[in-house]
Every structure is written in structure tokens, then in C-alpha cells.
Amino acid sequence: QVRLVESGGGLVQPGGSLRLSCAASGFTFSNYAMSWYRQVPGKERELVAASTSAGGSTNYADSVKGRFTISRDNAKKMVYLQMNSLKPEDTAVYYCNGLLLWLGLKYDYWGQGTQVTVSS
């Protein structure tokens, strides 16, 4: 059974930090690109940060570059999102995603999301 379970969300003041974690199970984690997305009500889900399967390459939305860092531990089947200098506009539900494209097939897994609220 495939599972992605996010944790670490919560309420933080502007300028503060949070670290999100995502625990994966039920699939070969090290083969998958892992990403963090976020969504606010009424808007489309947007990519925040992505990591290749080995973690050697990362990519960030312009809005979070220099503030957020994605990392992964393939041995523990975990992916993290360190969020610093948080802004009210970072408020959203954050989702963990695992993606593999293999022989014309797409394997696309999502967690249930964790709420991040940045407010004073």
C-alpha cells in the first residue's frame, strides 16, 4: 500500500521557520522524484520544490528560492522541506508528491497534506 504522510505544519509568525517532513512507504522511494506542492483555496496546486531521485538536482519556485530547501534521505524514505523567512503568502496546504515515469507509464502519488499558516 502506497503512503505519503506529511507532518510538521502549523502556525508560525512571519519571519519564522518550519520543517515539513514526508514519510514514504509502499513503493521504491529511491526511484522517484519527490516534490512539495502547495495549494490555497480557489487556486491551483503549485510546485514549490522538487528533487530528483538521487537528490543530486533540485528545483524551486521563484517565490521560495533562497528561503526553502528540499532534501531527502533515501535510506529512511523521507523527504523534507525546510522553510525559512516565512511570509503570510506562504500560507497553504502543503503536499508531498512522488513521481516516476517509466516505460510510458506514470506513477504519481500524493500525501494528504499539512496546513501551514503564517500569521502574526
Side-chain angles (χ1 to χ4, degrees), residues 38-77:
R38 66 187 180 188
Q39 188 170 26
V40 298
K43 292 190 176 181
E44 291 190 358
R45 194 171 294 189
E46 65 167 347
L47 177 66
V48 175
S51 169
T52 54
S53 57
S57 180
T58 56
N59 189 39
Y60 297 91
D62 287 343
S63 59
V64 307
K65 280 181 182 177
R67 300 188 298 121
F68 290 12
T69 303
I70 186 171
S71 61
R72 63 189 293 164
D73 185 332
N74 283 353
K76 295 182 178 179
K77 298 184 180 182

Side-chain angles (χ1 to χ4, degrees), residues 10-93:
L11 174 64
V12 63
Q13 292 187 344
S17 298
L18 281 176
R19 188 194 194 207
L20 305 184
S21 299
C22 174
S25 61
F27 62 99
T28 308
F29 181 80
S30 58
N31 288 347
Y32 281 67
M34 297 300 298
S35 302
W36 287 95
Y37 286 75
R38 66 187 180 188
Q39 188 170 26
V40 298
K43 292 190 176 181
E44 291 190 358
R45 194 171 294 189
E46 65 167 347
L47 177 66
V48 175
S51 169
T52 54
S53 57
S57 180
T58 56
N59 189 39
Y60 297 91
D62 287 343
S63 59
V64 307
K65 280 181 182 177
R67 300 188 298 121
F68 290 12
T69 303
I70 186 171
S71 61
R72 63 189 293 164
D73 185 332
N74 283 353
K76 295 182 178 179
K77 298 184 180 182
M78 296 288 296
V79 61
Y80 307 97
L81 185 67
Q82 178 66 44
M83 305 186 294
N84 299 328
S85 302
L86 282 160
K87 304 175 181 180
E89 52 263 42
D90 295 318
T91 296
V93 178

